[in-house]
Amino acid sequence: MRVDFTQLPVPAASGDNVRPLRVLIVDDDPDYVSELMVAITMPVEASALSMTCQSAGSVHETIKLIRHQLFDIILLGTTLADLPTPSAISVLRNAFAYSPIIAISKYPDEALALEWVEAGADDCLYEGVINPHILHRVITYAVKRAITYRELHQKSQNRHIINELLNLSLQDLPLDELLQRCLEIILSAPFAEIQNKGGIFLADEEQQMLHLVAKSQLEEKIAIMCNQVSFGTCLCGRAAEQKQLVHAKCVDERHEIRFEGMQDHGHYCVPIVAKDTVLGVLVLYLDQGHTVTDDEHAFLNGVASTLAGIIQHGRTQEQLVKMHNQNSALLASIKSILIGVDNDDCISHWNGAAEACFGLSAEQVMGRRIMEIGIKWDWEKMLQNILACMTEPYETRRFDARFEHAEGINGLLSVVATPFMDPGGVHTGFLLIGDDVTEQKSRESRLQQVQKLQSIGQLAAGIAHEINTPIQYVGDNVRFLLEAFEDINRVIDQGRVIFSEAKESAVSLKALQKVEQMMEDIDLDYLQEEIPSAIEQTLGGISRVADIVRAMKEFSHPGSEKRVATDINRAIESTITVSRNVWKYQADVVTSFDDFLASVPCIAGPFNEVILNVIVNAAHAINDVVGDGSDGKGVIKVSTKCLDDWVEIRVSDTGTGIPKDVQPHVFDPFFTTKEVGEGTGQGLALSHDIIVGKHEGEFTFETEIGKGTTFIIRLPLIEEGG
């Protein structure tokens, strides 16, 4: 006789919801099995439990049954043909770990009974003493002992599982792999009716979507269908939406994701929540008909809480790894040298550019003192600026320092030294950012030289013209004096003849008339009047040429590369002189110099270039207004004055003014409003670099459309550190 109770409710471990005990009789004697079933199913007044039975004729058949059905106890006959009793008990105990096994022998034998208990049986009965009362009592007590043991073992296992999950969270693993291992641990929980099947979803609250990231034993169809589940859809989506555990005894109407032929089963869908935010859902498959218990509910909530911590930690780690990778990629992509130094002067950051520049790998320098790693650079200048950035709050220092490349080539680094600050404003080290500007500085030098040569070329033509005018009238006057000298010399020669005649005899009237005629021919009165004027004009021309040559010499003299005390009034005068041919047709230059101005520390050559660029720029601006100057000229006014620790030079013009859209680009390299071929766009850019970069001064402008522009140069009278 077989009793099918697969549709009975899931047994309760405790409480009022008590259902019949499920008994499996394993024996190959059908008559004896029938007798046991009658005895077991017979109502007994002393027992509050009812029982149902099913039978199997071999261990092999039993294993098949208990894989798919739940039994509370096995009654094992000891005369099975397929396996000897101890082996049969061992096999069943391995497959039936949490429920009791009672061995039933035809004859009493204490030695065999002990052997069977050692193999895994919970008790032994002898056929001769079995009656319904004894059978009910033995079965009931065995099941109750098993339930008690199972509950204790389950609580221990639950704690063990939580501890395993916590230990697993400490491992440095990708989040998906971490959750897969968590699922395997959870599925080992000692629930009699939990199947080794389930999954873990991660939630995207913004998209209201669950993503399956870990799974075990899921059919391929369901794994594909459940790869993404919207909040509110199916059981897991409802758990995410409601933020509450969802239980199902079977595949009911809530199980919206299903396919034809799906095996009936139950579900636990446990939301994983942290601070009211859904992080995911744990899904466990149950035997059909499983009923929720308080212990399981508490355990699953504990698991969900642990998973929440693991997911948060994992996501944080992933973000940290992502940020680290991004930072590493960023540092690797930065071509500048980056050197981080902590408060102990030890290297904390060293990127690839630093490795390439100094020939030292990160492994060689990390954690070592910066002064001990063998960097060859201008240590005096480096330490001076590092100390300044560390002593002044939030001070960033920018400077150039000479260094030796790993290949032994000398070069120039442009360095920025900036302090590391903690949230409390305390220095925790400093960062050095360096760029090898050797080639750049070389290009700038060549560009400045080209610009200077271009300016000199333009000046040369103008100077040649300026010199040509006085030279022309000097030449004309000299030729006039030569001709006059020849004429006067003839008169003088004739006078000597008369003088000789007068010594010997009286001078003849004819001789006197001849001299008189010669004087009339050469217009001696005119010569006497014009020769002094011609000499004076010649001397003036020579003086003008001398002035131009002196001004050109002063303008083009290379001088020192360092700032030295300079008479800038005279320097400006020289520049005005050599540039005269640029402005003389369009403008008059008016100067207003501070006669009491002290010598100003500057680099004379570059300063002269700046003044020249500004004057040329002013002349071009005025030319746009007055054209060739035939209808009137404009005015260029140049002034100097002392303002406390600064000297201010103003160069004003009456040109067109600078349009608003152009003003932000005035000092940009290669920016020009001139036609192609008429300007390089480098004059004011280089001038700005000379004043601001080389002189630590200021270079600004004021402008008004239709009235003109004033460029303002301010130079410090006291050098930094002086």
Side-chain angles (χ1 to χ4, degrees):
M1 175 175 98
R2 298 282 175 114
V3 179
D4 184 6
F5 52 87
T6 58
Q7 302 303 316
L8 292 175
V10 178
S14 61
D16 297 331
N17 186 17
V18 179
R19 51 92 173 144
L21 291 179
R22 299 169 178 176
V23 182
L24 176 61
I25 302 171
V26 182
D27 200 291
D28 54 6
D29 184 349
D31 294 334
Y32 182 65
V33 169
S34 297
E35 292 177 11
L36 281 178
M37 284 188 174
V38 171
I40 290 171
T41 56
M42 182 183 296
V44 177
E45 293 182 3
S47 176
L49 294 174
S50 61
M51 302 184 190
T52 60
C53 295
Q54 191 168 342
S55 67
S58 66
V59 174
H60 181 69
E61 186 181 353
T62 303
I63 295 298
K64 284 186 176 180
L65 279 173
I66 63 178
R67 282 178 177 171
H68 302 290
Q69 300 180 36
L70 174 66
F71 297 93
D72 296 307
I73 189 168
I74 292 177
L75 301 182
L76 175 64
T78 58
T79 59
L80 292 173
D82 62 339
L83 275 177
T85 301
S87 299
I89 293 173
S90 296
V91 171
L92 292 176
R93 175 53 68 205
N94 289 334
F96 200 58
Y98 295 106
S99 294
I101 299 173
I102 306 296
I104 300 178
S105 173
K106 292 184 179 298
Y107 310 102
D109 188 328
E110 294 298 327
L112 284 176
L114 180 60
E115 184 179 346
W116 297 335
V117 170
E118 289 176 348
D122 292 272
D123 205 345
C124 294
L125 289 176
Y126 306 116
E127 291 182 10
V129 298
I130 294 177
N131 61 47
H133 289 280
I134 292 176
L135 198 55
H136 271 249
R137 180 176 61 79
V138 170
I139 292 174
T140 301
Y141 287 1
V143 170
K144 286 186 176 181
R145 284 196 305 271
I147 289 173
T148 301
Y149 167 76
R150 185 166 58 195
E151 288 177 348
L152 292 173
H153 181 67
Q154 181 171 312
K155 289 178 181 178
S156 175
Q157 282 293 96
N158 290 349
R159 287 192 295 269
H160 177 71
I161 287 172
I162 296 295
N163 287 334
E164 280 199 73
L165 293 176
L166 292 173
N167 289 332
L168 186 61
S169 69
L170 301 177
Q171 297 187 25
D172 186 15
L173 296 171
L175 183 56
D176 289 3
E177 183 178 345
L178 197 62
L179 293 177
Q180 183 64 44
R181 293 196 184 184
C182 287
L183 180 62
E184 293 168 2
I185 292 172
I186 294 166
L187 291 176
S188 70
F191 298 150
E193 297 180 5
I194 190 173
Q195 299 179 10
N196 188 28
K197 185 186 295 187
I200 296 177
F201 291 88
L202 284 180
D204 182 344
E205 277 214 317
E206 184 177 346
Q207 299 294 327
Q208 294 284 287
M209 189 71 69
L210 294 173
H211 301 274
L212 184 64
V213 296
K215 59 183 183 293
S216 177
Q217 304 295 324
L218 295 183
E219 291 88 345
E220 185 178 354
K221 283 185 179 180
I222 203 68
I224 294 172
M225 296 170 70
C226 293
N227 186 53
Q228 289 187 346
V229 180
S230 301
F231 280 24
T233 300
C234 206
L235 298 173
C236 53
R238 284 181 168 84
E241 185 177 61
Q242 299 168 10
K243 300 178 185 177
Q244 292 181 348
L245 185 147
V246 174
H247 170 258
K249 294 182 179 181
C250 60
V251 177
D252 57 22
E253 70 282 354
R254 296 173 298 169
H255 208 303
E256 297 165 340
I257 300 176
R258 65 174 77 185
F259 59 88
E260 187 176 351
M262 178 187 288
Q263 185 177 354
D264 202 2
H265 60 273
H267 262 309
Y268 272 133
C269 293
V270 188
I272 304 168
V273 182
K275 295 182 180 179
D276 205 39
T277 299
V278 178
L279 303 178
V281 173
L282 168 65
V283 177
L284 301 177
Y285 278 61
L286 305 170
D287 288 341
Q288 183 270 336
H290 180 78
T291 302
V292 179
T293 69
D294 292 339
D295 288 342
E296 289 176 357
H297 197 289
F299 169 70
L300 292 174
N301 283 336
V303 167
S305 178
T306 305
L307 287 177
I310 290 172
I311 292 171
Q312 287 179 312
H313 177 73
R315 284 179 170 173
T316 300
Q317 287 298 109
E318 285 186 342
Q319 287 296 320
L320 290 175
V321 169
K322 182 179 179 181
M323 290 173 61
H324 173 75
N325 292 338
Q326 288 175 340
N327 288 339
S328 298
L330 178 64
L331 290 176
S333 66
I334 292 175
K335 302 306 179 184
S336 299
I337 296 165
L338 295 181
I339 303 175
V341 182
D342 62 23
N343 259 351
D344 295 323
D345 296 332
C346 294
I347 303 293
S348 59
H349 296 80
W350 186 270
N351 73 338
E355 290 187 8
C357 183
F358 300 112
L360 297 168
S361 67
E363 290 75 13
Q364 291 176 288
V365 302
M366 291 296 287
R368 295 179 58 191
R369 293 173 63 84
I370 187 171
M371 296 187 68
E372 297 173 356
I373 62 176
I375 301 178
K376 296 180 181 179
W377 57 19
D378 187 345
W379 275 106
E380 181 179 353
K381 196 166 189 179
M382 294 295 298
L383 292 176
Q384 176 186 352
N385 285 278
I386 289 170
L387 182 62
C389 90
M390 292 295 289
T391 53
E392 297 292 332
Y394 304 103
E395 177 76 13
T396 295
R397 307 287 295 184
R398 301 174 185 272
F399 58 95
D400 291 340
R402 297 193 177 278
F403 79 107
E404 183 179 308
H405 197 274
E407 299 174 353
I409 302 171
N410 292 323
L412 188 67
L413 278 181
S414 175
V415 183
V416 175
T418 187
F420 287 140
M421 309 287 288
D422 66 13
V426 178
H427 288 279
T428 59
F430 59 90
L431 176 67
L432 299 176
I433 305 173
D435 291 289
D436 186 347
V437 294
T438 308
E439 181 60 29
Q440 176 187 338
K441 291 294 183 181
S442 177
R443 287 196 301 269
E444 288 179 0
S445 178
R446 292 195 296 270
L447 185 61
Q448 289 180 3
Q449 192 64 26
V450 169
Q451 177 73 18
K452 186 173 182 178
L453 290 173
Q454 185 181 36
S455 298
I456 290 174
Q458 293 174 348
L459 289 177
I463 290 170
H465 181 76
E466 287 298 304
I467 291 176
N468 184 60
T469 300
I471 287 296
Q472 278 185 343
Y473 62 73
V474 166
D476 291 343
N477 284 335
V478 169
R479 282 189 291 273
F480 166 71
L481 290 174
L482 177 62
E483 292 174 0
F485 175 76
E486 291 175 351
D487 291 342
I488 292 173
N489 198 41
R490 287 198 302 274
V491 172
I492 292 173
D493 288 342
Q494 186 60 39
R496 285 176 177 169
V497 171
I498 293 173
F499 183 75
S500 297
E501 290 179 358
K503 285 182 178 180
E504 297 176 357
S505 61
V507 178
S508 65
L509 179 62
K510 183 178 179 180
L512 292 174
Q513 289 176 342
K514 185 176 180 180
V515 170
E516 184 177 16
Q517 184 60 46
M518 291 176 66
M519 291 172 61
E520 287 180 3
D521 290 343
I522 66 174
D523 197 355
L524 185 60
D525 292 339
Y526 170 77
L527 293 179
Q528 285 180 311
E529 181 181 347
E530 289 299 321
I531 285 175
S533 176
I535 292 173
E536 184 177 353
Q537 288 178 0
T538 299
L539 291 174
I542 292 172
S543 177
R544 176 63 182 156
V545 170
D547 288 343
I548 294 172
V549 171
R550 175 190 57 77
M552 188 61 186
K553 182 180 179 182
E554 290 179 356
F555 175 82
S556 60
H557 192 279
S560 172
E561 292 185 0
K562 296 183 178 180
R563 280 179 274 176
V564 296
T566 303
D567 183 348
I568 64 168
N569 287 344
R570 181 164 180 170
I572 294 172
E573 281 279 17
S574 298
T575 305
I576 291 172
T577 298
V578 299
S579 63
R580 185 173 184 273
N581 193 63
V582 175
W583 50 261
K584 69 178 183 180
Y585 298 112
Q586 291 85 20
D588 294 320
V589 174
V590 178
T591 60
S592 177
F593 295 150
D594 184 346
D595 295 332
F596 300 99
L597 187 65
S599 294
V600 179
C602 73
I603 310 172
F607 174 77
N608 290 339
E609 291 179 45
V610 172
I611 299 301
L612 175 64
N613 283 328
V614 176
I615 289 175
V616 169
N617 198 69
H620 290 169
I622 291 173
N623 182 71
D624 291 340
V625 176
V626 303
D628 61 4
S630 58
D631 295 329
K633 295 181 178 181
V635 176
I636 299 173
K637 183 177 180 180
V638 184
S639 65
T640 61
K641 65 178 178 179
C642 184
L643 296 173
D644 297 325
D645 293 334
W646 297 81
V647 62
E648 182 179 271
I649 303 108
R650 286 177 169 260
V651 180
S652 303
D653 65 63
T654 55
T656 57
I658 303 173
K660 282 188 177 181
D661 60 327
V662 173
Q663 293 175 20
H665 308 289
V666 166
F667 299 119
D668 289 353
F670 304 106
F671 178 80
T672 180
T673 57
K674 298 182 176 69
E675 296 294 331
V676 175
E678 293 185 10
T680 64
Q682 285 293 90
L684 290 177
L686 291 174
S687 297
H688 187 273
D689 179 65
I690 290 170
I691 296 301
V692 177
K694 292 184 177 180
H695 290 83
E696 297 175 326
E698 298 175 1
F699 194 11
T700 58
F701 64 89
E702 298 170 352
T703 188
E704 187 175 349
I705 300 299
K707 291 191 176 181
T709 301
T710 300
F711 281 93
I712 305 163
I713 300 167
R714 300 182 75 203
L715 299 176
L717 288 172
I718 301 175
E719 292 188 67
E720 184 178 354

